[in-house]
Amino acid sequence: MPTDTGYDPSLGRKFIFVTGGVMSGLGKGITAASTGRLLANAGFDVTAVKIDPYLNVDAGTMNPFQHGEVYVLKDGGEVDLDLGNYERFLDIDMTSDHNVTTGKVYRNVIEKERAGDYLGKTVQIIPHITDDIKRRVREAAVGSDVCIVEVGGTVGDIEGMPYLEALRQFAHEEDDDDILFTHVTLVPYSKNGEQKTKPTQHSVKELRSIGLQPDILVGRSSDPLDAQTREKIALFCDVPHEAVFSNSDVEDIYHVPLRLQEENLDDYVMEYLGLEDEAAPVGKRDTEWRDRVTRATEETARVALVGKYGLEDAYISIHEALKHAGLECNVEVEREWIHSENLADGDDGELDGIDGVVVPGGFGSRGTEGKIEAIRYARENGVPFLGLCLGFQMAVVEFARNVLGLDGAHSAELEDETPHPVIDLLPEQEELDDMGGTMRLGTHVTEIVDGTLAADLYDETACRERHRHRYEVNPEYIEDLEANGLVFSGTSGRRMEVLELPDHPYFLGTQFHPEFRSRPTRASPPFVGFVDAISAANGGAY
């Protein structure tokens, strides 16, 4: 029976807690997001919470090479890349309240202790830390039918223990049919080709030792689990045979919901949570996701992503936005990584045969000369180009150097002694000392100039996109830049937000990050225009 938690019971009806074992990087986030997608297809309002047990308050100061992309939410929250997957799979806009970190929790509890809110009590992990965790989960679930909560890391990590204890208490406080625990584990092969269940058994044993019994087990493996493996996992982990699901490798992560639906995961979850009577009938469930991600492509485009982090996770939203645009345009987009430092000496050989160039955001001076060279190559050779944030800024630098003839033009962020700081610090950034959470962040409105490429792409007089930057186009150079042919087609007050070249097949730069709002069923306009331009240049039918 539920106990009195002191919270409004309307703060979320059903909760699915997703944990992982054996090793990190198994794809429990994709498993969780796919479960949410299937429930959304059945007509339920689904939201998600990602728990990150690190001490950082947020992901804003983390190195993308080590931790992957810093994803930006509409309210400016800098979060783990998994929240990007939740937004893309569920087609929702989340806030920083949907990301719980140890830094946030401990900072709040300590600040309350300093303010005397605990009335002299000894402040402890239990109940003060665990109560704060439970409060955050409940409040993030407001207005949803189902809230999916993913616990980062693996069972047994010391950092994750307070969270698992909080979830144990959470389950004790709620009705049994309002809580479901899903545990994702690795099912590897032995050298003789046998699927091994022992890692799963040990992972579940670790979970049970802290008072949590999984209701569903999802085995990650290269191939579907065979019947004997499923039966063994069910027997030794004390779950029904029908509660053991297989999440095997697929060509595209967007096919994972389809694979799990074949396993009847959605029906099992809805029955367990007592939602089957409220679900849309099978024949009337939303099929837009399936229809979109299984569309056949008619042509192929080779796109160069020119950056300095040799890791797909560092640019995952750009990779996915290109994929979404390809789905929209019936084009298979082959994304090719090119290290920007390889282009710094002016050797453009790696760009031969490339159909389009994307220059992403980033920080620091390493690799920027190569990015500028890639932009010059695209501009002079009529190759479709899309510059994002730093890519937008480097397009201004390239134009200033090679069209205006301003030798040494650069960004003041990257070259303190530049004689022509065509990119300079935002005025409101000048007095700031802290690094975390202090940039121009989140959704801002950009006014779009009528009759421009940007106006055609958005088909609106304004757009709302997410930002993450400290520097902007220096107003002192705008008149000269425009007089020589560069068009700023999007503005936000005094700030230049979008640039383009009218006499080019496709040359567009955005100070914002349109990739953060791209979805498989709702591709980002700048990316769709980019892929469309490639298709047109290649004689495509789109």
Side-chain angles (χ1 to χ4, degrees), residues 180 215-216 240 242-243 245 264-273:
L180 183 148
D215 303 304
I216 284 177
E242 59 270 21
F245 295 91
N264 295 315
L265 175 70
D266 50 344
D267 290 334
Y268 188 90
V269 168
M270 287 186 284
E271 181 180 358
Y272 189 96
L273 293 175

Side-chain angles (χ1 to χ4, degrees), residues 47-63:
T47 193
V49 173
K50 172 65 189 302
I51 291 175
D52 285 307
Y54 47 65
L55 280 169
N56 304 65
V57 173
D58 57 41
T61 59
M62 292 183 174
N63 187 333

Side-chain angles (χ1 to χ4, degrees), residues 366-385:
R366 184 171 66 88
T368 53
E369 290 301 323
K371 292 182 178 182
I372 293 170
E373 177 59 24
I375 295 167
R376 182 202 62 77
Y377 176 89
R379 180 179 60 81
E380 294 183 352
N381 291 281
V383 176
F385 164 77

Side-chain angles (χ1 to χ4, degrees), residues 195-501:
Q195 290 180 334
K196 306 300 292 184
T197 66
K198 191 64 72 175
T200 298
Q201 294 178 45
H202 280 288
S203 179
V204 172
K205 181 181 178 182
E206 182 77 25
L207 194 63
R208 295 173 74 176
S209 72
I210 54 180
L212 297 177
Q213 167 63 38
D215 303 304
I216 284 177
L217 284 170
V218 178
R220 279 288 292 117
S221 58
S222 55
D223 300 303
L225 302 181
D226 56 43
Q228 182 179 359
T229 300
R230 290 176 190 263
E231 190 60 46
K232 194 171 182 181
I233 289 174
L235 175 64
F236 285 98
C237 297
D238 198 22
V239 297
H241 180 273
E242 59 270 21
V244 180
F245 295 91
S246 174
N247 185 1
S248 55
D249 292 348
V250 293
E251 288 185 6
D252 191 307
I253 59 170
Y254 297 141
H255 293 174
V256 175
L258 312 185
R259 179 63 57 84
L260 293 178
Q261 188 173 37
E262 292 171 0
E263 295 264 323
N264 295 315
L265 175 70
D266 50 344
D267 290 334
Y268 188 90
V269 168
M270 287 186 284
E271 181 180 358
Y272 189 96
L273 293 175
L275 294 171
E276 67 271 32
D277 291 339
E278 300 176 44
V282 174
K284 295 184 178 181
R285 293 181 186 175
D286 191 350
T287 62
E288 184 181 11
W289 180 277
R290 176 182 291 275
D291 296 341
R292 179 56 61 92
V293 303
T294 58
R295 289 177 68 174
T297 55
E298 300 175 358
E299 54 187 296
T300 301
R302 294 179 61 207
V303 172
L305 182 57
V306 182
K308 68 177 181 178
Y309 303 113
L311 184 70
E312 181 173 335
D313 278 356
Y315 304 110
I316 187 169
S317 289
I318 298 174
H319 278 264
E320 298 308 310
L322 287 168
K323 189 191 301 182
H324 305 160
L327 292 172
E328 178 75 21
C329 300
N330 296 328
V331 174
E332 178 72 25
V333 180
E334 295 180 353
R335 293 143 290 173
E336 300 188 17
W337 162 255
I338 293 181
H339 202 299
S340 55
E341 288 186 315
N342 295 345
L343 305 177
D345 61 359
D347 183 358
D348 302 320
E350 290 191 54
L351 295 174
D352 288 346
I354 289 294
D355 297 316
V357 173
V358 175
V359 176
F363 296 90
S365 60
R366 184 171 66 88
T368 53
E369 290 301 323
K371 292 182 178 182
I372 293 170
E373 177 59 24
I375 295 167
R376 182 202 62 77
Y377 176 89
R379 180 179 60 81
E380 294 183 352
N381 291 281
V383 176
F385 164 77
L386 180 60
L388 308 169
C389 198
L390 182 64
F392 163 89
Q393 295 176 359
M394 291 303 98
V396 173
V397 170
E398 189 279 327
F399 196 86
R401 287 183 184 181
N402 298 320
V403 178
L404 272 64
L406 301 179
D407 292 339
H410 218 311
S411 167
E413 176 187 14
L414 308 173
E415 179 54 67
D416 291 340
E417 303 301 322
T418 175
H420 298 289
V422 292
I423 303 295
D424 208 354
L425 187 67
L426 292 165
E428 63 267 28
Q429 296 285 318
E430 293 177 358
E431 302 300 324
L432 295 177
D433 294 321
D434 288 346
M435 296 292 290
T438 57
M439 284 184 275
R440 184 171 182 244
L441 293 164
T443 299
H444 295 274
V445 176
T446 295
E447 302 295 332
I448 298 175
V449 178
D450 190 37
T452 61
L453 172 60
D456 289 341
L457 293 173
Y458 283 97
D459 195 26
E460 298 282 353
T461 58
C463 66
R464 291 165 175 79
E465 299 280 13
R466 300 177 189 178
H467 295 67
R468 185 174 185 251
H469 64 108
R470 296 186 192 276
Y471 287 75
E472 65 174 348
V473 179
N474 189 333
E476 295 181 7
Y477 291 88
I478 291 173
E479 185 176 345
D480 286 343
L481 290 165
E482 291 183 321
N484 283 271
L486 194 64
V487 173
F488 289 106
S489 53
T491 61
S492 179
R494 54 165 268 171
R495 297 188 174 95
M496 301 299 103
E497 293 275 358
V498 184
L499 64 79
E500 57 188 71
L501 288 176

